[in-house]
Amino acid sequence: MSTVINIGINQADRVEIANGLNNLLADTYSLYLKTHSFHWNVTGPMFNTLHLMFETQYTELATAVDVIAERVRALGERALGSYSAYAKVTGIKEDNGVTDANQMLQELLEGQEVVIRRARALYPLVNQADDEATADLLTQRIQLHEKTAWMLRSMLAK
């Protein structure tokens, strides 16, 4: 017996929003993995600065995946939870052995921008469905990722 979910968002919209959030979850988790890998593998004169900055970023991303997954569940859908499921839908390129600190910064910047675009693309549906809770989540994610992108961009400025 299936439980009826009656939260003021029609079923089709709930499913579509949850699918969009699962894509955002995949991007966020993939960016978490990449950021953590770069934290472990960064070298060079900016080591300490980048090592600490990447740790701050991956720690925040680890918290974010939980928040996003819990919103998917609140909408009544199953949250993605495997590398293979994430790989099918993520727009984040995985770490392929990058060792140059500036290349790490550039790739993380690109990853942040992928997440920003993914979150922003959900807004029309979320607004049309009057899903304020998801809109709030998206606003918070976009704000944080835009700030992180600005910081990464500033590190790359010459």
Side-chain angles (χ1 to χ4, degrees), residues 60-147:
E60 193 286 324
L61 290 163
T63 300
V65 295
D66 200 50
V67 171
I68 297 165
E70 288 175 354
R71 183 65 193 148
V72 171
R73 296 297 298 136
L75 290 169
E77 297 301 313
R78 188 173 195 288
L80 296 179
S82 71
Y83 299 124
S84 59
Y86 295 151
K88 288 178 185 174
V89 297
T90 188
I92 305 292
K93 294 182 290 184
E94 67 183 347
D95 173 20
N96 288 314
V98 172
T99 57
D100 178 74
N102 283 328
Q103 185 63 34
M104 289 177 175
L105 290 166
Q106 183 62 46
E107 288 193 23
L108 291 180
L109 171 59
E110 291 166 5
Q112 293 289 333
E113 291 176 341
V114 165
V115 174
I116 293 163
R117 290 189 307 271
R118 179 85 77 169
R120 197 176 304 283
L122 263 177
Y123 261 110
L125 173 61
V126 167
N127 287 334
Q128 174 257 313
D130 294 323
D131 182 358
E132 293 86 359
T134 301
D136 183 52
L137 182 153
L138 294 173
T139 299
Q140 291 178 42
R141 297 308 315 150
I142 290 168
Q143 183 178 19
L144 190 132
H145 288 285
E146 285 180 345
K147 181 177 180 181

